[in-house]
Amino acid sequence: MNQFDNAIKILTVMSFSGFRRAWVYNNYKEDEPIEILLAKMNKKSKEPISLKEFECQKAKVEDDIEKLGDSIDGVISFVDEGFPPVRGKGVNASDFPVVLFYKGDLSLLYPNNKTIAVIGLLNPTEQIQIVEERVVEMLVGKGAVIVSGLANGCDSI
C-alpha cells in the first residue's frame, strides 16, 4: 500500500478535537516538521498536545490504515504530487478534500479524462444490477472512467 507521510500527518491532526479540513487546508505545509505543526496546533488547542501524544496518535492512524489491507491502494494528501485537481466553483477550505483514500490509478481523475460516478442502492434488485451492468459496460466502452466510493451494492458493480 502506498502511504504518503503528509496524508498520515493530516489524518493525525484531524483526529484531535477541533481540527478539521479548513484548518488543515489553511495551516498545513508540505513535509513540515511535526514540531512546527504541533506549535500551530497548540496555538488553537485549549489543551496542549505533546509530541508524545501526537506520535502515539500517528501510530494509531498508521495501524488503522494498514488494517484496510487490499481494500485500498493508498492514501494521498492535497499537498502531495499526484493529488487530483478539485474542479468546480465556490469550493472553500471547509469543503476542500485534504486526504483521499484510493484504489486504482489516480491519474485517471485528471480533467482530460471523461469521469462519471455511478451511485445507487446498497442492496439493488437483480433487475437494477442488470441495468447498471449494461450502463457501466457501455460507458467504459466509450472511454469513460468510473469513479466509485467502493461501497457494497451499486458501487461494486
Side-chain angles (χ1 to χ4, degrees):
M1 180 186 329
N2 192 359
Q3 295 181 15
F4 290 90
D5 190 52
N6 287 309
I8 302 299
K9 284 195 282 189
I10 288 170
L11 289 168
T12 303
V13 168
M14 293 176 67
S15 71
F16 287 94
S17 179
F19 297 95
R20 299 290 169 247
R21 289 183 302 210
W23 187 91
V24 169
Y25 184 70
N26 290 315
N27 293 280
Y28 187 85
K29 303 296 179 234
E30 183 178 5
D31 297 321
E32 186 169 59
I34 291 175
E35 293 78 9
I36 294 173
L37 181 58
L38 265 176
K40 289 179 185 179
M41 290 175 70
N42 282 328
K43 284 182 182 177
K44 180 184 192 278
S45 183
K46 292 177 182 171
E47 294 185 33
I49 301 163
S50 71
L51 179 58
K52 184 176 180 180
E53 285 177 287
F54 190 92
E55 291 291 354
C56 181
Q57 192 62 27
K58 184 174 178 252
K60 287 179 186 175
V61 168
E62 290 170 330
D63 187 52
D64 288 345
I65 291 171
E66 282 299 318
K67 287 178 184 173
L68 295 173
D70 291 337
S71 63
I72 66 170
D73 287 340
V75 58
I76 188 172
S77 80
F78 74 106
V79 297
D80 292 315
E81 186 176 328
F83 190 82
V86 175
R87 294 181 275 176
K89 296 180 181 176
V91 176
N92 61 43
S94 63
D95 296 328
F96 193 88
V98 293
V99 174
L100 178 66
F101 291 83
Y102 65 91
K103 184 156 185 75
D105 183 355
L106 280 178
S107 69
L108 295 174
L109 297 179
Y110 280 84
N112 58 336
N113 290 310
K114 296 181 264 181
T115 59
I116 187 166
V118 178
I119 58 172
L121 303 170
L122 288 175
N123 298 305
T125 65
E126 187 176 334
Q127 181 62 28
I128 290 173
Q129 289 179 36
I130 291 168
V131 170
E132 184 173 356
E133 287 171 1
R134 288 181 185 155
V135 169
V136 168
E137 185 177 326
M138 180 210 48
L139 290 167
V140 170
K142 300 237 183 230
V145 174
I146 307 298
V147 179
S148 169
L150 299 176
N152 291 325
C154 288
D155 275 10
S156 64
I157 293 170

